[in-house]
Amino acid sequence: MESANNYDLDWIKPNENEYLQEEGKGVFNGDMGTISEINNQTGEVVVVFDDKKQVLYPRSELGQISLAYAITIHKSQGSEFDVVIIPLVPGPSLILTRNLIYTAVTRAKKVVVLVGDRQTLSRMVKNSHTAKRYTLLKDFLIEENKKMKQLFGE
């Protein structure tokens, strides 16, 4: 799994017809792939991402990729997997919420396996707590709206 946005890495999408081969730049946080080659002499690694992009990682960029056979529910947001295994272990109610279990379950395309005790699942389903986020987004949007009205009138 790519753990950062790297706009400089080159990628190719091979095609039987070399003239139809796609090329581009950039791999992004959360992109998932499989290591297809490792060059022991140079330390370079080729990763084939789920969208078929092939990226050659020089040794200096290897810190950006990590094994992803197990990832957090938060890191999985926006992704889907054929099979999702969710460990249900006791923990603080601030974390074990209905939203979290919903996010975890909806990552699965085919199979969801819950491992753990029913009490933890029951606690999570009953816990609808959502942490209030304190951002300046509302203030920013109001300010931008005022600027747009000044520019375009209204």
Side-chain angles (χ1 to χ4, degrees):
M1 173 183 273
E2 173 68 30
S3 62
N5 291 332
N6 186 328
Y7 300 96
D8 298 324
L9 281 176
D10 295 316
W11 56 262
I12 61 167
K13 277 190 190 180
N15 191 297
E16 289 178 23
N17 180 339
E18 67 181 85
Y19 298 107
L20 296 178
Q21 176 174 290
E22 292 180 57
E23 298 179 5
K25 282 187 170 290
V27 290
F28 306 99
N29 185 20
D31 286 352
M32 304 279 282
T34 304
I35 294 174
S36 66
E37 296 176 40
I38 299 173
N39 184 322
N40 290 323
Q41 268 65 33
T42 63
E44 295 174 326
V45 170
V46 175
V47 176
V48 179
F49 286 95
D50 291 348
D51 60 0
K52 308 299 183 223
K53 288 185 216 173
Q54 293 183 8
V55 179
L56 175 67
Y57 280 84
R59 172 174 275 183
S60 61
E61 306 286 339
L62 291 180
Q64 295 175 38
I65 56 175
S66 59
L67 293 175
Y69 53 85
I71 60 174
T72 66
I73 295 168
H74 294 93
K75 194 72 170 169
S76 75
Q77 286 185 335
S79 300
E80 285 185 319
F81 307 93
D82 286 341
V83 178
V84 173
I85 301 171
I86 306 165
L88 297 172
V89 294
S93 59
L94 189 64
I95 296 171
L96 299 179
T97 65
R98 182 184 310 157
N99 286 349
L100 189 68
I101 195 70
Y102 174 82
T103 299
V105 168
T106 58
R107 299 306 99 204
K109 289 192 261 186
K110 297 179 182 176
V111 176
V112 174
V113 178
L114 301 173
V115 179
D117 63 275
R118 291 176 192 250
Q119 286 177 329
T120 301
L121 177 60
S122 178
R123 262 183 66 214
M124 291 179 81
V125 170
K126 292 175 185 171
N127 183 0
S128 61
H129 172 76
T130 53
K132 187 160 177 71
R133 296 180 184 194
Y134 295 98
T135 69
L136 296 175
L137 180 60
K138 180 181 174 185
D139 296 331
F140 174 75
L141 291 173
I142 290 170
E143 189 61 35
E144 286 302 308
N145 189 37
K146 288 178 186 174
K147 288 179 186 175
M148 296 303 271
K149 285 181 178 178
Q150 288 173 351
L151 279 174
F152 300 106
E154 194 174 307

